[in-house]
Amino acid sequence: MAAAGPGPAPTGSRLRLLLLLPLLLPPPPPVCAAGKAGRAAGSCGCGSPRRAEEPAAYRYSREANAAGPDGADGPSGPAQLQMAPIPAGVFTMGTDDPQIQQDGEGPARRVNMHAFYMDLYEVSNAEFEKFVNSTGYVTEAEKFGDSFVFESMLSEQVKTGIHQAVAAAPWWLPVKGANWRHPEGPDSTILNRPDHPVLHVSWNDAVAYCTWAGKRLPTEAEWEYSCRGGLENRLFPWGNKLQPKGQHYANIWQGEFPVSNTGEDGYKGTAPVTAFPPNGYGLYNIVGNAWEWTSDWWAVNHSTHESQDPAGPSSGSDRVKKGGSYMCHKSYCYRYRCAARSQNTPDSSASNLGFRCAADRLPESG
């Protein structure tokens, strides 16, 4: 779940809800109660800290045993630029059985959707690097000089220089020099993971990339419609069972959060953007791996009336993010469901926060 406040920063909205405590001892185990009541508390879990989670399986993927798209050039090549056509239709957004009450997961409501396009993959390090090299763009984490990193991903050398942690989620540490090029702090690199999702991108950074690419961020409704992949009223993009026939379909936390991640799904951090089977619309890692920004402002009260292409409220302080991440575990952050949602300030960044783009029409190739 989202941490209680944003990270430290010299300026900007990241100061608004800052809640850090001195880091005098190793981070304690979480005190949240397990189950729905504990998850509803909203004070701990795997969400990014703020600045300022059989037939159905077959329909979900006809390539359930494939490592990536057939004939793909790899995520840093043309495959990463591909978009899936999402057909027009009507679907049930949200749920009448919310697992995290304060997140506004319900009520279930009927939504009419236009046809649009969605990136097959989360934007990778390699693709984001093309954007930076082309434009000279500097991310907000780079401007602020820090970003949040999950404690177990840091080297001992980096941890020795950190003396504060997020009060409600002490496994989140503010790390100087952490940014998209250095996801786990200044002594880390992305050179060996060009095909992993770019991290430490704020909402503002994501919008800048999408604009450069001739695309945009998806609305929350577009994201959730795409996540469901043509299935109706299912928990996950592939159905209601987390591991159909014992197979992993998403990169989430296995073990006891935040103490031990067994990496049973093959990854303890992020996975390549082409990993795991795609959903019914051909989208990879639409849940798990990295949280994904949407264009909507955050709100928790929704009309039950049928709507057409909803775009969220006209203003707000936080933006909606969807899909959960590699840090999500059912006991603390059951947000890798299609109906699940969370929020962050637009300038927030963390080591589990990324994005993918949408478009009304395919952008012209440059």
Side-chain angles (χ1 to χ4, degrees), residues 23 26 136 147 217 269 293 305 347:
L23 187 65
S147 189
L217 284 177
W293 289 110
H305 295 118
D347 59 357

XYZ file of all heavy atoms in Angstrom, residues 23 26 136 147 217 269 293 305 347:
69
model
N 16.288 6.831 11.028
C 16.565 5.409 10.812
C 17.710 5.011 11.729
O 18.872 5.081 11.372
C 16.929 5.162 9.350
C 17.093 3.704 8.939
C 15.771 2.967 9.063
C 17.609 3.617 7.516
N 17.600 -1.328 12.001
C 17.098 -1.919 10.767
C 15.582 -1.809 10.727
O 14.916 -1.859 11.763
C 17.538 -3.397 10.876
C 18.712 -3.363 11.790
C 18.435 -2.268 12.770
N 17.312 15.612 -24.433
C 18.052 16.160 -23.308
C 17.220 16.270 -22.046
O 17.588 16.988 -21.106
N 15.385 9.907 -4.799
C 14.145 9.189 -5.058
C 14.063 8.053 -4.051
O 15.030 7.785 -3.328
C 14.104 8.657 -6.495
O 12.817 8.141 -6.819
N -0.787 9.294 -21.958
C -1.077 8.322 -20.917
C -2.518 7.829 -21.071
O -3.395 8.593 -21.477
C -0.897 8.933 -19.529
C 0.535 9.125 -19.040
C 0.532 9.822 -17.680
C 1.273 7.785 -18.946
N 13.390 -8.461 -8.348
C 13.151 -7.077 -8.707
C 12.276 -7.062 -9.948
O 11.403 -7.909 -10.116
N 1.369 4.745 -14.385
C 0.606 5.991 -14.285
C -0.577 5.985 -15.261
O -0.487 5.422 -16.352
C 1.483 7.182 -14.631
C 2.538 7.563 -13.647
C 3.897 7.431 -13.803
C 2.349 8.186 -12.379
N 4.555 7.928 -12.707
C 3.632 8.407 -11.814
C 1.218 8.589 -11.654
C 3.805 9.003 -10.569
C 1.394 9.176 -10.408
C 2.670 9.379 -9.873
N -23.914 5.406 -12.558
C -24.538 5.541 -13.867
C -23.587 5.094 -14.990
O -22.371 5.303 -14.899
C -24.977 6.986 -14.119
C -26.061 7.435 -13.189
N -25.896 8.473 -12.293
C -27.323 6.973 -13.004
C -27.000 8.642 -11.611
N -27.884 7.741 -12.020
N 4.682 14.520 -8.975
C 6.150 14.594 -8.985
C 6.798 13.450 -8.212
O 8.005 13.447 -8.006
C 6.627 15.943 -8.441
C 6.158 16.226 -7.022
O 5.407 15.401 -6.454
O 6.519 17.287 -6.468
